[in-house]
């Protein structure tokens, strides 16, 4: 089945710093989503981005489907950005969402 | 809208006991799914449903049963709990299009401990 790899596994930032999270996938996909899991465990969808670039405030995401990767950019990080960031891709007849292992981000004041 | 709701929030079971995790959504979504999340790992798909009366297996279906009698509800049943099923369980729902699944909405999770 399709493999999803995220890097780096852990990231520590000072408040105000910028960062880039990467998601590589092993096969062509037609659906890619980014999620944030906050320290209380709640999962929030950040982007639905099968291709191209989207921006939402300080966050933006780019997916290059032909090269099988997606990037999540966080600018001017805040302590509330802490948590785990997951990417997930659609596989198996367009009904199975496969998650990467996540990038754990800690933003310190 | 309440979105996706899950009950209970926390449950302790003894090995061999059975239980049902409840999931409901009020967004009229066709697609619903169950995931488990273990420490240091991403979410793994257990079962999913593309509509009432239609279910299918995900990556890790063994030991779990599901049914979908209504659009709103998608319960997950543990037939005979094992310590390996200790995990956090998330339910999710979304619309579906020709291109696949739309934005996924997650419930708050159920933390299960099997002794």
């Amino acid at each position: 089945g399709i493999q999803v790899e995220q890097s780096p596994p852990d990231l520590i930032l000072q408040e105000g710093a910028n960062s880039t999270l990467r998601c590589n996938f092993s096969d062509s996909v037609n659906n890619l989503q980014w999620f944030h899991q906050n320290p209380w465990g709640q999962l929030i969808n950040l982007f639905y981005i099968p291709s191209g670039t989207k921006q939402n405030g300080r966050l933006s995401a780019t997916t290059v489907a032909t090269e099988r990767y997606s990037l999540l950019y966080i600018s001017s990080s805040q302590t509330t950005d802490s948590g785990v960031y997951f990417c997930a891709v659609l596989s198996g007849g367009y009904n199975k969402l496969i998650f990467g292992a996540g990038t754990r981000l800690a933003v310190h004041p | 809208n309440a979105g996706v709701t899950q009950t209970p929030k926390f449950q302790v079971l003894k090995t061999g006991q059975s239980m049902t995790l409840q999931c409901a959504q009020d967004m009229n979504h066709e697609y619903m799914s169950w995931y488990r999340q273990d420490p240091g790992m991403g979410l793994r798909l257990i079962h999913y449903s593309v509509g009432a009366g239609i279910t299918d297996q995900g990556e890790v279906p063994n030991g779990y049963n599901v049914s979908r009698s209504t659009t709103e509800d998608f319960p997950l049943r543990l037939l005979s709990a094992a310590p390996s099923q200790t995990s956090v369980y998330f339910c999710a729902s979304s619309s579906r299009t020709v291109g696949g699944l739309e934005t996924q909405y997650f419930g708050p999770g159920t933390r299960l401990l099997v002794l």
Side-chain angles (χ1 to χ4, degrees), chain B residues 12-62:
Chain B
V12 179
L13 291 179
K14 294 181 179 178
T15 297
Q17 287 185 316
S18 63
M19 80 160 294
T20 299
L21 280 64
Q22 301 291 345
C23 174
Q25 52 92 9
D26 61 359
M27 297 173 280
N28 200 32
H29 285 161
E30 303 164 273
Y31 183 89
M32 296 185 74
S33 56
W34 278 101
Y35 295 86
R36 61 177 288 173
Q37 184 178 28
D38 300 307
M41 299 181 70
L43 281 73
R44 291 184 292 168
L45 182 65
I46 304 172
H47 285 286
Y48 66 94
S49 168
V50 298
I54 307 170
T55 64
D56 206 346
Q57 295 181 350
E59 302 171 89
V60 288
N62 292 342

Side-chain angles (χ1 to χ4, degrees), chain A residues 30-31 33 35 37 41-43 45 48 86 90 94-101, chain B residues 31 35 37 42-43 45 48 50 57 59 90 96 99-104 106 108:
Chain A
N30 66 346
N31 186 322
Q33 302 186 28
F35 298 87
Q37 187 171 37
Q42 181 65 36
L43 281 153
N45 189 287
Y48 171 91
F86 293 103
L90 202 60
Y94 312 132
N95 285 319
K96 295 182 182 179
L97 205 59
I98 305 299
F99 280 74
Chain B
Y31 183 89
Y35 295 86
Q37 184 178 28
L43 281 73
L45 182 65
Y48 66 94
V50 298
Q57 295 181 350
E59 302 171 89
F90 289 96
R96 292 175 70 237
L101 304 178
E102 295 291 303
T103 297
Q104 296 289 302
F106 280 87

Side-chain angles (χ1 to χ4, degrees), chain B residues 77-91:
Chain B
R77 281 182 286 277
L78 281 69
L79 306 175
S80 177
S84 61
Q85 294 178 304
T86 293
S87 189
V88 181
Y89 291 84
F90 289 96
C91 178

Side-chain angles (χ1 to χ4, degrees), chain A residues 6-13 20-21 83-85 101-106, chain B residues 40:
Chain A
Q6 291 187 243
S7 60
D10 296 282
L11 189 57
I12 300 174
L13 297 176
T20 301
L21 282 60
V84 184
Y85 290 81
T103 291
R104 185 173 299 275
L105 174 64

Side-chain angles (χ1 to χ4, degrees), chain A residues 26-92:
Chain A
S26 61
D27 204 348
S28 59
V29 299
N30 66 346
N31 186 322
L32 187 141
Q33 302 186 28
W34 282 95
F35 298 87
H36 176 224
Q37 187 171 37
N38 66 25
W40 297 270
Q42 181 65 36
L43 281 153
I44 304 296
N45 189 287
L46 298 174
F47 292 103
Y48 171 91
I49 185 166
S51 64
T53 297
K54 289 187 178 180
Q55 180 147 12
N56 184 2
R58 294 181 297 103
L59 273 60
S60 65
T62 295
T63 297
V64 184
T66 53
E67 297 187 21
R68 300 181 184 173
Y69 73 89
S70 182
L71 302 174
L72 178 68
Y73 305 96
I74 304 174
S75 64
S76 304
S77 58
Q78 300 176 357
T79 55
T80 52
D81 295 331
S82 296
V84 184
Y85 290 81
F86 293 103
C87 70
V89 301
L90 202 60
S91 176

